Amino acid sequence: MRLRLTPILLSLILALPILGIFAALLSPQSSSGDVLLHLITTVLPGYAWTTLLLAIGVAWGVASMGIITAWLVATCDFPGKRIYEWALILPLAMPTYVMAYAYTDFFQFSGPIQSFLRELLGVSKLDWFPEPRSVWGAVCVLSLALYPYVYLLCRTAFLERSPRLMDAARTLGAGPWRAFWQVALPMARPATMAGVALALMEAVADYGAMSYFGVQTMTTGIYRAWLGMGDRVAAVQLSAALLGVIFLLLMLEHASRRQMRFASSGQRFRQIKPWRLEGKKAFWASLACALPMIFGFILPVIIMAYLAFTSNEGLNARYWSWLGNTMTLSTLTAILAVVIAVWLAYSARLAKGGLQLLANRMVSLGYAVPGAVLAVGILILLAQFDLAWFLSGSFVILIYAYLTRFLSSGLQTVEAGLSKITPSMDASAMSLGSSKFELLTRIHLPLLRRSLLTAGLLVFVDVMKELPATLVLRPFNFDTLAVITYQLASDERLAEAAWPALTIVLAGLIPVVILSRAMSKD
């Protein structure tokens, strides 16, 4: 009983700031009601509609790019495949707000593209040129930055597909795309939905890129109620409403596949011969993989590098301190997140009950909470226990905030990996006298190697890019690369912000490449 209650207690500890947000609904204040009524009757419907459009666009964008590239890389052989295997996840190292700065500067009216086209065509204005500061500009940027969530999880699922099913499809004359639609994609549904859910929660909670684009979303309403109108309770209540919708969607999706089985028995880790693509098929496959990589990573890096090297600003001596702070926080949080995610997901698998699953879903909601609102919730929580004086001077509170915010990416990745391990393995091991700990260490962990590496990578890069919670909770004189980048860019000092932005990207390249290459090994 104690072993069952411990992971539930851990989930509740991590979810305390989220539970505090929901508790705000039970303690409304009259002033908060006035603020909410004002927002509802004026701007809130527009915020909700914009958020819906953003969510639909991002879901379609990340799903299409992530699934297609993952399938091509995992099951086909074409020129450049070895490069695309690791290069397609490089956009994870690019913060969304940095990509927003780069593309706005590149595509705006005074940018090089429009200036060149106006000079070439001999006109003073390009009415047909899309406006980068718009909802669809935000959709494009977020899709390019977040599609690796779907790519990583789907690629792991496709690499671990059952060779028997794929061999059967090949024997029956199915080509790559027919096998994809009828066999591989349905089997990869848990990984696909987990990746799309992560991308949507990241998009909904984004504030830096949205504020720079001038796109008014529900998160904008939350910040306006908190910072503009000075009503923390109203901001928390709006966050609770947003979290409630996301929580409902996650539970409905999980319930829709409750009776489905995605695990397969037999030789599921034996590699099969990939489909060899030649001619036009190889060209289109290579182009499909190259475009997300170019627009999601290479072009923004070129833009920021140009701004950095054409300016007179160099690397500050404190950059190494900022880099050390960022790497330390990212590494510690990634390790803790993977360990906790395995514990919670494995406990839910063994318990086979709704309580642990509900606790895990509650923890997963942290990804959708705007970082600044989460930070305020944590500070209020610490004040209730009279611990703010103790933890505010250390980065322990930062790691707690990061775990609350980003554990979802690790947890959903591990759960997707566990869903593909057939329960018959558990029964066989238990019948042979294996304990639950031996079952985990000798069977599940080796089979979850790719999923664990993916989970660690997602958390590591997310922490490197985290901005709002770090701004609020960081100790005095403790800055990270993300904080410095934001402070400079918000002052329209893009040339100076280019150096820390590039440092974030370069610091994230090493773990991205190493972990990706390790995942590609059989």
Side-chain angles (χ1 to χ4, degrees):
M1 177 63 67
R2 185 175 61 182
L3 293 177
R4 291 186 178 182
L5 292 179
T6 303
I8 296 177
L9 179 62
L10 177 61
S11 300
L12 292 177
I13 292 175
L14 292 173
L16 277 177
I18 305 172
L19 295 175
I21 293 176
F22 284 112
L25 293 175
L26 304 178
S27 57
Q29 300 178 0
S30 57
S31 60
S32 302
D34 295 338
V35 171
L36 285 176
L37 181 61
H38 172 71
L39 291 175
I40 291 173
T41 56
T42 55
V43 295
L44 202 58
Y47 292 168
W49 175 247
T50 304
T51 304
L52 178 61
L53 291 178
L54 184 73
I56 294 174
V58 170
W60 183 87
V62 298
S64 58
M65 285 189 287
I67 294 173
I68 291 175
T69 54
W71 172 252
L72 290 172
V73 168
T75 64
C76 299
D77 189 11
F78 54 94
K81 172 187 173 180
R82 296 298 179 186
I83 297 177
Y84 296 135
E85 281 181 342
W86 57 268
L88 279 166
I89 65 175
L90 293 181
L92 279 180
M94 180 70 64
T96 55
Y97 49 87
V98 172
M99 191 179 295
Y101 303 151
Y103 277 129
T104 300
D105 182 75
F106 194 63
F107 290 108
Q108 65 183 348
F109 181 83
S110 59
I113 294 298
Q114 289 205 49
S115 299
F116 172 76
L117 290 177
R118 288 197 306 270
E119 183 178 352
L120 179 65
L121 300 175
V123 296
S124 60
K125 187 178 180 181
L126 300 174
D127 295 326
W128 50 267
F129 198 89
E131 173 59 44
R133 282 191 167 100
S134 63
V135 175
W136 301 114
V139 166
C140 292
V141 166
L142 290 176
S143 298
L144 289 169
L146 302 177
Y147 83 85
Y149 287 117
V150 180
Y151 167 76
L152 278 172
L153 300 183
C154 287
R155 178 183 168 219
T156 301
F158 292 148
L159 286 173
E160 295 176 352
R161 68 198 181 281
S162 172
R164 289 183 176 179
L165 294 176
M166 303 308 297
D167 287 345
R170 188 190 296 268
T171 302
L172 295 173
W177 289 110
R178 186 177 178 186
F180 165 74
W181 285 111
Q182 298 185 358
V183 179
L185 187 58
M187 291 292 292
R189 178 175 170 178
T192 302
M193 296 308 301
V196 172
L198 289 173
L200 285 182
M201 286 189 284
E202 179 74 14
V204 169
D206 187 277
Y207 179 73
M210 295 302 100
S211 62
Y212 196 76
F213 277 125
V215 176
Q216 308 296 311
T217 63
M218 287 291 293
T219 303
T220 305
I222 294 171
Y223 278 78
R224 178 167 295 182
W226 176 36
L227 299 177
M229 300 181 177
D231 196 323
R232 175 183 55 82
V233 176
V236 172
Q237 289 173 342
L238 288 176
S239 298
L242 186 60
L243 290 179
V245 174
I246 295 175
F247 181 76
L248 178 62
L249 292 177
L250 289 176
M251 295 305 295
L252 288 176
E253 196 284 323
H254 187 273
S256 68
R257 54 183 171 92
R258 180 173 299 171
Q259 302 301 322
M260 301 180 183
R261 296 295 179 266
F262 302 94
S264 56
S265 59
Q267 312 165 30
R268 54 188 299 271
F269 293 103
R270 176 179 61 82
Q271 285 188 336
I272 63 174
K273 184 179 179 180
W275 277 281
R276 177 66 181 175
L277 302 181
E278 297 178 350
K280 292 183 179 180
K281 292 182 179 180
F283 169 78
W284 289 114
S286 182
L287 183 63
C289 293
L291 290 179
M293 178 186 65
I294 292 173
F295 288 99
F297 181 77
I298 295 178
L299 185 56
V301 168
I302 292 175
I303 296 172
M304 299 306 293
Y306 175 80
L307 292 174
F309 287 104
T310 56
S311 67
N312 296 324
E313 301 294 333
L315 281 175
N316 191 298
R318 294 186 62 193
Y319 272 63
W320 300 111
S321 173
W322 299 330
L323 176 61
N325 294 341
T326 304
M327 295 294 289
T328 300
L329 290 172
S330 301
T331 303
L332 289 177
T333 306
I335 294 173
L336 289 174
V338 170
V339 173
I340 294 174
V342 171
W343 191 5
L344 298 183
Y346 185 63
S347 299
R349 180 183 177 95
L350 294 180
K352 298 180 181 179
L355 187 57
Q356 182 64 58
L357 179 62
L358 181 62
N360 289 357
R361 296 283 76 77
M362 184 66 68
V363 171
S364 298
L365 287 177
Y367 209 89
V369 182
V373 176
L374 178 65
V376 172
I378 291 176
L379 290 176
I380 294 174
L381 178 67
L382 294 178
Q384 293 295 324
F385 291 96
D386 199 22
L387 292 175
W389 63 271
F390 174 72
L391 293 178
S392 60
S394 68
F395 61 82
V396 175
I397 187 62
L398 273 177
I399 295 180
Y400 175 70
Y402 294 150
L403 287 174
T404 304
R405 176 85 164 84
F406 299 122
L407 183 61
S408 173
S409 57
L411 181 59
Q412 293 203 44
T413 304
V414 174
E415 287 179 340
L418 281 175
S419 70
K420 298 184 69 62
I421 300 178
T422 176
S424 62
M425 287 189 179
D426 299 18
S428 299
M430 299 294 286
S431 66
L432 293 174
S434 296
S435 64
K436 295 179 179 178
F437 181 76
E438 290 176 333
L439 175 63
L440 173 64
T441 56
R442 299 181 64 181
I443 295 180
H444 286 171
L445 289 184
L447 297 180
L448 287 173
R449 180 175 62 88
R450 289 191 179 98
S451 296
L452 298 182
L453 289 172
T454 303
L457 170 63
L458 293 176
V459 176
F460 182 92
V461 179
D462 277 335
V463 173
M464 285 196 65
K465 299 184 294 183
E466 164 56 33
L467 175 64
T470 310
L471 279 171
V472 177
L473 298 174
R474 74 190 194 279
F476 177 74
N477 203 30
F478 186 90
D479 291 324
T480 64
L481 295 173
V483 171
I484 295 301
T485 301
Y486 173 78
Q487 290 176 345
L488 294 174
S490 61
D491 294 334
E492 294 298 332
R493 297 155 64 185
L494 291 180
E496 298 177 56
W499 279 114
L502 288 175
T503 308
I504 293 175
V505 176
L506 294 176
L509 283 181
I510 296 176
V512 164
V513 174
I514 292 177
L515 291 178
S516 178
R517 294 180 70 87
M519 287 165 54
S520 65
K521 295 179 180 179
D522 185 53

